Amino acid sequence: MATLQFLLGQSDVGQNRAEASCRVLAELNPGVVVEAYTGELLEAFLASFQVVVLTESPLEEQLHIGDFCHAQGICFIVADAKGLAGQLFCDFGEHFVIDDPAEGDPVCATVQHISQGNPGVVTCVGTEDGHGHLFCDGDLVTFSGVEGMTELNGREPVPVHVLDAFRLEIGDTSSFSPYRCGGLVSEVRRPQECSYEPLCQALGEPKIQVASPEELPRSRSLHIAFRALHAFRREQGRLPRPRVLADAEQVLELARSLGTQQGPLDEDIVRAFASVSVGDLCPVAAVVGALAAQEVLKAITRKFLPLDQWLYFDALECLELAGAAQLTEVDCAPRGSRYDGQIAVFGANFQEQLGRQKYLVVGAGAIGCELLKNFAMMGLAAGPDGELIVTDMDAVALSNLHRQFLYRSADISEPKSVVAARAVRQMNPDVRVTAQQNQLGPATEPLYGDNFFQRLDGVTSALDTLEARAYLESCCLRCRTPLLDSGTEGPRGNVLPMVPHLTKPLEPGGTPRDGTFAPCTLRYFPRTIQHTLQWARDEFEGLFQLPAEHVNRFMEDPAFPEQLPAGKALKVLEQVRDRLRERPRDWQDCVLWARRHWQCRYHDAIAQLLHAYPPEHDTHLDYILATAHLFAQVHRVPPRRDRKAAQDILRSVVLPPSAPQEVLQIPLTEEQEEAQEPTDHRWMTELIQDLAQRRQELVGGEEAQVPLMEPIHFEKDNDIHVDFITAASNLRAENYGIPPTDWLTSKRIAGQIVPAIITTTAAVAGLACLEVYKLVWGCQDLSCYRNSNISLSNCLLLRIPPPPPTTYRYGGREWSCWDRLEMRAVSADGQAMTVQEVLDWLQRTHGWTVTMLLHGNTVLYNKGDSEETRAQQQAQRLSEILEDAGMPQQQDLELHYVCEEEDAEEDKRPPLLCSLP
């Protein structure tokens, strides 16, 4: 059983691989038909497919099937992985049309004004963070929802000329009607046609895609090396034996005979490739398989530019690890083990070292699942002293199943870490994996303190927030624990290794926008669909979550509003009163309430706004059904999905006419929005008395049924929730002349769904595990490590050595950001040192006179304080400082200091790590 076939188990040994894999593949998605085929690849069989992918295929078979597919217009892909290198080839025919070549959604912007002129100038509304449009010169655009200059709506796409960040020229508008308001300008992407050569021609005249021109000679040498390997196998009936020099030299001779018309041959690359080409490595297969899978998706969906036409990937830098060159044929000979493919590359001793590793995987989401799968196949922590810890506080959700392949429908609501650990054991029963459900952060430092991190051999991060990643990085930096940080967004991904003393610590990410908008914008003057969707999210919370929580709390404790500020208390009490008054008896009451709410939100409130600010001043049933359903759920009334019955109820509804108030204060700024009117205490007293009476009636002299209502929290995987958000947002958009959006887009924006595809996560995890090999080997050569960036939309992979650590000067010498001072802070009596003893140690050891000593933000010593205060500070023991601050006892205490006669430029100092008894 090979190292990389994670679909197979020990019981499948001896069975046909396709048949053994079929059952597990079918479990991944019951909606996909998976069939095993074990016959010859005859043309009659192949003719029924849109895409044909060959793996581990002889060159002769590749050429034959490639010619057939090219002639029949079938997209043809070759994917191969040999040892530490991979190869990918695509032929999508002579006239392949890509419907959507670019990544991401088409660019669009809200129109603020359009001038009459030749050319006409479109002024776009700025985004919340002050940025302008994202159009480029020559982009084709269309207009929709424009009022006044309606001639633009529905016209054929026109090219734009960018004037600046907010203005575009669009051609002659001098004869059009004057612009009044509204409108959206949207990019139109034109299909693109590509032509591909068949394999028989592309083999001798390869078009190789590379991330930079410097990589082309290496890729050309790998192209020749793969061809030579095919020739060796055809002659010898086998692949070269691992670390057998004669076999590698024979492959090199065959490579020389193929010619160098594409440029000089790098013979060292060919030798290295051949020497381990018999190896099977799960990380390499993951990268090549992910790239190939994305090309299949391009062939089917016609989205993104396909590979043109060859791509080569290698991690031969792993053979430059200290001592790797000395491995012999005996070291790498097969042992009859599941790891023989890995032993062929790194040797048997390395495999034992892999088994002894202690690793922490933080996060069992998309990347975490792929990492755990790779670790299981690699045998990481599969030895007697090994330990693999996975921690994740989340539970499996329906939306996880499309990319987190360790989970099945039956696992929904189960802890992710528990299910993932169980899956790892099924793949490799020897892996010593432990599942935990904790979040890493200051609150869990008693569990994940310095001692915990210091005993680890490495940490892999699969976190999805910048704050969590920054905290984990600080822990690993302080404890000098290697960290591999991975991240993805749609088809893009990256891997950043952080190796103590070798690499620069990871850069903290920029502060992301929190997605909030000014309240006055959301409530009164939305301009984009993002505004209306956020308004709908707030509406959901304000209708179905907060009022129910307030009612339930009031039923438990009628005095709880007294703990709130007066203004907020009044609003909460009014909310409780309204909900108790509106309690429905049946489904019909819920439909009627929803209809009244629709009238209030989308007619009366808009009429009031138009009355206060006239225009010249600067899916209805879907909404009612979704609103009634949620209102019924929150009041524990059985809902119904019968549209006709709801329509019958609505026909009988007669609502009183609404008349706008003549005087109404509508806040136009956040300051006005936040300003509170004086609280009417008399009205609040009457309201409290009224609610107390209503509560007593509900209690009926006995304990009330608590909770009285069911608060509903928005869940992006609940269709009713998304139905409400979509309908509420689009109705709001209709009120304001904003083009509506569809259900899926509403779900993505309101649910804050980050684009994620399993191909990217698989590739990123594979790249991360290649760095794990180097960490396990104990590599101390910076040039062997790689920062990796991948973009599957255009099939680009860039791997470069990470930057070295930054240095600074302090106290007359140069320090690295990894450096620190270390002292055993134990007094002669066995207790923790006093502050004065620490000051003496710094003076005695480094000749530094300290003027200030700190632990975090706590000042332990300040020379500027009074003599009495200094005496108290100097006498205090380090352990007492922790007790006084209410902090848990720690083995190691990190202190910072300021010394006399420091240079103005010396703003960095090595921290002082004190080991307590």
Side-chain angles (χ1 to χ4, degrees):
M1 186 172 64
T3 314
L4 48 80
Q5 292 164 324
F6 62 89
L7 295 175
L8 306 179
Q10 198 68 38
S11 60
D12 297 317
V13 173
Q15 296 185 38
N16 178 272
R17 290 189 297 182
E19 292 175 341
S21 302
C22 191
R23 177 186 58 80
V24 182
L25 279 172
E27 288 177 355
L28 290 175
N29 190 341
V32 176
V33 177
V34 182
E35 297 178 356
Y37 178 77
T38 59
E40 286 187 59
L41 296 179
L42 302 175
E43 293 180 355
F45 172 73
L46 296 173
S48 63
F49 293 96
Q50 285 178 265
V51 187
V52 171
V53 183
L54 294 184
T55 64
E56 302 182 44
S57 174
L59 182 59
E60 296 74 22
E61 183 180 58
Q62 293 176 15
L63 290 167
H64 171 71
I65 294 178
D67 285 344
F68 172 77
C69 289
H70 189 83
Q72 297 297 315
I74 299 170
C75 295
F76 176 64
I77 298 173
V78 174
D80 206 357
K82 292 288 185 287
L84 283 164
Q87 174 193 61
L88 189 62
F89 170 78
C90 289
D91 169 16
F92 287 4
E94 296 179 9
H95 304 286
F96 184 79
V97 177
I98 304 105
D99 296 330
D100 188 3
E103 182 183 333
D105 296 328
V107 177
C108 66
T110 301
V111 175
Q112 184 176 21
H113 184 263
I114 306 174
S115 69
Q116 289 175 296
N118 187 13
V121 176
V122 179
T123 303
C124 301
V125 176
T127 60
E128 298 300 317
D129 47 11
H131 293 157
H133 63 75
L134 298 175
F135 293 103
C136 299
D137 271 343
D139 282 351
L140 295 175
V141 302
T142 58
F143 290 84
S144 60
V146 175
E147 296 185 26
M149 197 178 285
T150 55
E151 295 89 343
L152 284 174
N153 294 329
R155 290 190 73 202
E156 288 296 308
V158 296
V160 300
H161 170 62
V162 175
L163 293 178
D164 55 36
F166 297 94
R167 296 184 302 152
L168 309 165
E169 287 182 348
I170 59 168
D172 189 0
T173 61
S174 57
S175 62
F176 293 170
S177 306
Y179 173 81
R180 191 160 65 86
C181 64
L184 199 69
V185 53
S186 305
E187 177 192 13
V188 175
R189 292 177 177 169
R190 288 288 176 90
Q192 184 174 332
E193 184 175 297
C194 293
S195 180
Y196 295 84
E197 301 290 343
L199 178 62
C200 58
Q201 290 180 237
L203 201 62
E205 301 173 359
K207 289 190 289 184
I208 302 175
Q209 192 159 304
V210 292
S212 64
E214 293 77 17
E215 295 181 10
L216 189 56
R218 186 181 189 91
S219 291
R220 285 173 173 165
S221 295
L222 285 168
H223 180 77
I224 297 297
F226 268 91
R227 290 184 63 187
L229 189 67
H230 281 295
F232 180 94
R233 191 170 193 171
R234 187 169 55 249
E235 291 180 5
Q236 302 293 329
R238 60 173 175 82
L239 290 172
R241 291 163 293 181
R243 306 288 178 165
V244 174
L245 183 60
D247 284 0
E249 288 298 326
Q250 188 173 345
V251 173
L252 177 58
E253 191 58 40
L254 289 167
R256 291 174 181 145
S257 69
L258 291 171
T260 58
Q261 60 269 34
Q262 295 297 319
L265 183 69
D266 189 325
E267 297 189 353
D268 290 338
I269 287 178
V270 178
R271 284 194 193 92
F273 165 75
S275 69
V276 295
S277 58
V278 73
D280 285 328
L281 297 178
C282 182
V284 175
V287 175
V288 176
L291 292 167
Q294 188 64 49
E295 296 307 302
V296 172
L297 291 177
K298 294 176 185 177
I300 296 170
T301 64
R302 296 179 182 263
K303 181 173 177 62
F304 299 150
L305 285 172
L307 170 65
D308 185 26
Q309 288 189 261
W310 293 94
L311 179 77
Y312 286 92
F313 156 75
D314 78 272
L316 292 172
E317 73 275 0
C318 291
L319 300 182
E320 299 171 12
L321 301 172
Q326 284 70 50
L327 289 173
T328 66
E329 179 183 1
V330 174
D331 295 326
C332 301
R335 265 65 172 171
S337 158
R338 66 180 293 158
Y339 308 115
D340 278 351
Q342 199 160 250
I343 290 172
V345 178
F346 295 110
N349 290 339
F350 177 80
Q351 189 60 50
E352 292 180 4
Q353 183 68 14
L354 265 173
R356 292 192 290 268
Q357 295 297 294
K358 293 178 173 60
Y359 261 72
L360 170 68
V361 178
V362 186
I367 299 176
C369 283
E370 297 290 339
L371 287 170
L372 290 167
K373 173 261 292 182
N374 290 348
F375 289 165
M377 295 297 97
M378 292 161 59
L380 187 85
D385 300 320
E387 185 177 18
L388 179 60
I389 301 169
V390 54
T391 184
D392 194 308
M393 62 185 299
D394 290 340
V396 179
L398 177 64
S399 60
N400 300 147
L401 301 186
H402 81 282
R403 69 191 185 281
Q404 300 177 20
F405 79 103
L406 296 184
Y407 310 130
R408 307 289 183 268
S409 298
D411 300 322
I412 291 175
S413 299
E414 294 294 318
K416 279 187 177 182
S417 60
V418 173
V419 178
R422 185 167 63 237
V424 167
R425 294 187 198 99
Q426 289 174 346
M427 291 181 185
N428 188 343
D430 294 331
V431 175
R432 298 170 178 265
V433 58
T434 302
Q436 298 180 359
Q437 299 167 48
N438 304 311
Q439 181 180 25
L440 260 73
T444 55
E445 284 184 1
L447 291 173
Y448 304 111
D450 291 353
N451 288 343
F452 173 83
F453 279 97
Q454 287 167 359
R455 70 181 182 85
L456 296 174
D457 294 300
V459 176
T460 58
S461 167
L463 294 165
D464 55 5
T465 68
L466 293 175
E467 294 82 3
R469 292 166 82 170
Y471 176 80
L472 182 60
E473 187 245 326
S474 68
C475 293
C476 292
L477 177 63
R478 185 174 64 252
C479 299
R480 295 177 177 172
T481 305
L483 170 66
L484 292 172
D485 184 76
S486 309
T488 68
E489 183 174 359
R492 297 177 180 270
N494 63 69
V495 176
L496 303 172
M498 190 178 84
V499 186
H501 304 292
L502 280 187
T503 69
K504 183 180 178 180
L506 306 182
E507 293 288 345
T511 303
R513 289 189 63 241
D514 58 7
T516 58
F517 304 104
C520 58
T521 300
L522 295 182
R523 294 187 186 181
Y524 304 112
F525 306 111
R527 301 186 303 270
T528 67
I529 198 68
Q530 286 80 7
H531 293 157
T532 63
L533 283 166
Q534 183 59 54
W535 178 89
R537 275 294 305 269
D538 295 344
E539 178 86 341
F540 185 101
E541 184 180 272
L543 289 176
F544 309 118
Q545 179 188 332
L546 295 179
E549 291 176 346
H550 293 153
V551 168
N552 291 341
R553 191 171 177 191
F554 177 79
M555 295 301 294
E556 291 178 1
D557 177 16
F560 96 90
E562 297 174 5
Q563 305 166 17
L564 304 175
K568 186 174 182 181
L570 181 58
K571 290 180 180 179
V572 168
L573 288 168
E574 289 175 338
Q575 199 176 65
V576 171
R577 178 206 57 191
D578 292 343
R579 286 299 177 267
L580 292 179
R581 282 179 178 177
E582 295 165 344
R583 291 188 68 210
R585 296 164 299 176
D586 51 28
W587 169 244
Q588 179 172 334
D589 284 352
C590 296
V591 174
L592 294 174
W593 180 89
R595 175 62 177 86
R596 290 193 299 271
H597 189 76
W598 179 93
Q599 181 79 14
C600 172
R601 276 288 183 259
Y602 300 107
H603 179 273
D604 298 351
I606 297 302
Q608 175 68 66
L609 189 64
L610 291 174
H611 179 76
Y613 293 91
E616 61 270 22
H617 186 272
D618 201 358
T619 13
H620 299 195
L621 184 57
D622 287 339
Y623 173 83
I624 290 173
L625 275 175
T627 305
H629 187 107
L630 292 164
F631 189 68
Q633 182 181 340
V634 83
H635 284 280
R636 305 182 186 277
V637 171
R640 295 167 61 185
R641 297 299 298 267
D642 189 335
R643 293 177 71 88
K644 185 177 182 306
Q647 287 174 316
D648 292 340
I649 295 171
L650 292 171
R651 288 190 187 99
S652 64
V653 175
V654 178
L655 296 177
S658 169
Q661 300 176 32
E662 288 301 326
V663 179
L664 180 67
Q665 280 292 103
I666 295 179
L668 299 181
T669 65
E670 290 189 56
E671 290 75 14
Q672 294 175 3
E673 177 75 25
E674 293 170 358
Q676 295 185 353
E677 294 183 4
T679 302
D680 187 337
H681 293 282
R682 180 179 177 183
W683 166 238
M684 182 184 290
T685 302
E686 293 176 2
L687 188 57
I688 292 172
Q689 292 172 351
D690 179 51
L691 285 174
Q693 183 178 346
R694 287 182 177 275
R695 179 180 181 277
Q696 190 61 33
E697 292 171 359
L698 287 170
V699 172
E702 300 178 1
E703 286 298 318
Q705 292 184 353
V706 177
L708 187 67
M709 297 172 67
E710 179 185 341
I712 305 174
H713 293 261
F714 176 75
E715 174 51 59
K716 63 180 180 293
D717 293 323
N718 188 305
D719 287 354
I720 291 291
H721 295 193
V722 180
D723 286 346
F724 173 86
I725 294 293
T726 305
S729 171
N730 284 341
L731 286 171
R732 181 81 165 170
E734 186 178 329
N735 283 149
Y736 285 88
I738 299 169
T741 192
D742 57 54
W743 191 90
L744 284 174
T745 303
S746 299
K747 176 177 179 175
R748 175 172 62 82
I749 297 174
Q752 299 178 340
I753 298 173
V754 177
I757 48 179
I758 194 170
T759 48
T760 314
T761 53
V764 162
L767 293 167
C769 288
L770 289 172
E771 304 308 303
V772 170
Y773 284 140
K774 302 163 189 177
L775 292 173
V776 174
W777 194 276
C779 175
Q780 291 299 306
D781 183 354
L782 179 66
S783 66
C784 289
Y785 289 95
R786 294 291 183 270
N787 281 352
S788 299
N789 289 276
I790 192 166
S791 175
L792 296 188
S793 60
N794 47 12
C795 207
L796 290 178
L797 173 60
L798 179 64
R799 302 175 70 237
I800 58 174
T806 56
T807 59
Y808 58 93
R809 291 195 64 80
Y810 183 79
R813 56 162 286 192
E814 190 170 71
W815 302 83
S816 157
C817 56
W818 289 97
D819 289 335
R820 62 195 182 198
L821 309 177
E822 297 183 359
M823 66 174 294
R824 189 168 180 270
V826 182
S827 299
D829 58 3
Q831 298 186 61
M833 277 187 177
T834 63
V835 168
Q836 182 61 53
E837 288 175 307
V838 174
L839 301 177
D840 292 342
W841 183 87
L842 286 168
Q843 176 69 55
R844 182 173 62 254
T845 308
H846 297 280
W848 298 341
T849 301
V850 174
T851 58
M852 184 175 290
L853 187 68
L854 306 99
H855 172 56
N857 293 324
T858 304
V859 177
L860 309 185
Y861 171 76
N862 185 355
K863 187 178 180 182
D865 287 340
S866 66
E867 184 176 346
E868 181 181 354
T869 300
R870 290 203 311 272
Q872 293 174 350
Q873 293 170 342
Q874 292 165 329
Q876 195 168 24
R877 294 189 182 274
L878 298 182
S879 55
E880 295 171 350
I881 294 168
L882 293 175
E883 293 174 7
D884 293 345
M887 300 174 62
Q889 288 297 319
Q890 302 174 24
Q891 187 73 33
D892 297 318
L893 200 62
E894 186 174 283
L895 304 182
H896 296 270
Y897 49 86
V898 179
C899 297
E900 287 182 349
E901 299 178 359
E902 285 186 358
D903 293 338
E905 297 179 359
E906 294 181 327
D907 59 340
K908 293 184 178 180
R909 309 164 189 82
L912 171 61
L913 192 70
C914 301
S915 299
L916 303 182

